Each structure stands twice: as C-alpha cells, then as structure tokens.
Amino acid sequence: MKGRTVIVTGSTSGIGAALAEGFAAEGAQIVLNGLGEAGAIETARAALASRHGVEVIYHGADMARPEEIEDLVRTAETHFGAVDILVNNAGIQYTEVIEAFPAERWDALIAINLTAPFLAMRAALPGMKRRGWGRIVNIASNAGLGGSIRKSAYVAAKHGVVGLTKVAGLETAGTGVTCNAICPGWVKTPLVDVQIEDRAKRDGTSIAQATYDLLIDQQPSGRFTTCGQLSGAALFLCSSAADTMTGTTLTLDGGWMAS
C-alpha cells in the first residue's frame, strides 16, 4: 500500500477507524472522515500518522451533503495527487416496523448508506480510470443479501449497495479498477451495542443474554466478526491477489448466509 492514497468514510470510530488503521499499517496515506469532537479527531489523526509514519489528513464532509462528498474527493486528489482506494464505510441505523418507520428516518438512511457511496464513487472513478488503477471497497452487510425485521431502510440501502457494486464492477471491467463489497454479519460496534441494549429492554433480559440471543439467532458461530478481520478483508481486496475479483461480495458472517 506504500504510496497509495486511501479515503475511508466514517473512519473516526468503529469499523472505519480499524480500516484506516489497517491501511496505514501497510504504508498508505489516509484521508479520515467522520463525526466527533474536533480535539479528539485531531488527537486520533496525529496518533495514526505517528504510529505508522504516514501522512494522515481529516476531512469533515457530511455524507448527507452531495457537495461535501465531492469536496472530500477533490481535496484528497489535490493534497495527495490521486485517490487510489475509496472505502465507503459511513453508515447509520434505525429500527422500526414498516408501518411505524418515520419517512424522515428512511430518507436519512438511504442518503447516508446508499446515495453517499454512489456520489463518492462518481467523484473518484474518473481519476481511477484515467490512471488505470483503483480500488473501491463498499462496506455493505448481510442485510444486503437477505432480509431482517424492523430494518426496512437499512436492508433496502444495503441491497442497493450490493447492486451498485455489481454495476461498478461491470462498468470498470478491464480498466484496472475493481469494485467489491464486504458483507459482514454482526460486528461489535457502537451501532450494534445500541441494538443489544434495545433488545435487552424489549425482552427484559440482561445485556449478556441479549448479546447471546442476538448472535445465536443468525450467526451460527456465536462470535462477532472483528473490525480487524474486516480490515484484513479490505486489504485483500486491494491486493494483487484480488486483481480479477470485481463486482462481487466477500461475506464474513460466521455462517449466517449458509443456512
């Protein structure tokens, strides 16, 4: 990854932070993006750069604003000369049955989880094609491969991301650019912590029991996928070993989709 420039959206915490860490550890220059307190973000940025001896910048683009997504990509191109790898990771969640799902929540989930990756890809692809090399990694979900109750917007968005990945893979075939999606099952992140807490309250159980119930319902391994494992998968997709892998999904789900 030395000499490569990587944008990771939603990289100030959780999966995105682990993805940025993994690429930086391999020598890539990093563009961080995400929410958080300015001082904490700057501390994390400086620490990441220092740990791995790479240049790391931060761009605070709001993934719900098309013009800011465009500026994120253009800023990276101006600063580093190119965007070699784009990792679309930023995402939000809201759960409710369809008939009670607020329309504004639907719009927000589709904007962040589906429209933002499209806009970032639209901005980054011309440069990648022109240079004859590029990698797009979309962090989708098993929700992009199957249904899940109370997650209509999330499932719809992630199915859209998987479809978008296929189209990009076809449109870039033979150009030196690839586009693939990673579909994890349950990953221990703040988003999942909220779902565990909600489940514990709903069922009147402990956090430990709610965690077990959440996993065993759908993830036969009974274990969370780790952020580090997702980072390893992303690095693989950007390696020469995956040069002919495009328009497809890589599933890390403890057996979820096997049943």
Side-chain angles (χ1 to χ4, degrees):
M1 293 295 118
K2 287 184 179 179
R4 300 293 191 192
T5 297
V6 185
I7 295 175
V8 185
T9 68
S11 51
T12 51
S13 65
I15 292 171
L19 290 164
E21 186 79 36
F23 280 103
E26 295 298 321
Q29 303 161 146
I30 306 296
V31 182
L32 296 175
N33 158 263
L35 302 175
E37 191 272 322
I41 290 172
E42 172 54 24
T43 297
R45 183 208 63 75
L48 182 62
S50 176
R51 272 195 304 277
H52 301 295
V54 298
E55 187 172 1
V56 181
I57 66 170
Y58 169 76
H59 191 290
D62 181 340
M63 291 292 107
R65 297 181 179 275
E67 68 279 7
E68 295 188 21
I69 296 171
E70 176 83 16
D71 189 65
L72 166 64
V73 174
R74 298 296 164 247
T75 297
E77 289 177 332
T78 299
H79 188 87
F80 290 113
V83 172
D84 300 298
I85 298 168
L86 169 65
V87 184
N88 286 308
N89 167 75
I92 59 173
Q93 177 64 286
Y94 184 83
T95 60
E96 184 54 276
V97 294
I98 291 173
E99 63 269 28
F101 208 103
E104 64 273 15
R105 290 284 192 171
W106 170 277
D107 290 343
L109 261 78
I110 297 298
I112 300 293
N113 295 350
L114 177 57
T115 304
F118 160 72
L119 293 171
M121 289 165 64
R122 186 179 70 167
L125 274 170
M128 291 180 175
K129 286 183 175 181
R130 189 168 58 250
R131 290 184 298 276
W133 197 94
R135 296 290 179 266
I136 297 171
V137 179
N138 293 324
I139 306 302
S141 165
N142 270 14
L145 304 173
S148 187
I149 62 170
R150 300 173 64 85
K151 296 181 181 178
S152 55
Y154 191 77
V155 168
K158 293 302 184 181
H159 270 69
V161 168
V162 170
L164 179 63
T165 298
K166 292 177 179 180
V167 173
L170 290 171
E171 291 185 354
T172 59
T175 67
V177 178
T178 68
C179 180
N180 294 287
I182 298 175
C183 293
W186 292 120
V187 183
K188 197 69 162 61
T189 65
L191 280 176
V192 172
D193 287 339
V194 171
Q195 293 180 63
I196 292 170
E197 291 167 9
D198 288 346
R199 185 174 188 135
K201 290 174 185 175
R202 185 189 73 206
D203 297 344
T205 60
S206 67
I207 293 294
Q209 185 63 48
T211 300
Y212 174 80
D213 292 342
L214 179 99
L215 281 170
I216 212 65
D217 271 358
Q218 295 170 307
Q219 199 142 308
S221 68
R223 299 167 59 190
F224 285 106
T225 298
T226 69
C227 291
Q229 288 163 346
L230 292 180
S231 177
L235 284 165
F236 163 72
L237 290 174
C238 297
S239 74
S240 59
D243 277 352
T244 62
M245 188 172 179
T246 193
T248 191
T249 57
L250 193 60
T251 306
L252 287 76
D253 67 355
W256 185 332
M257 298 307 295
S259 59

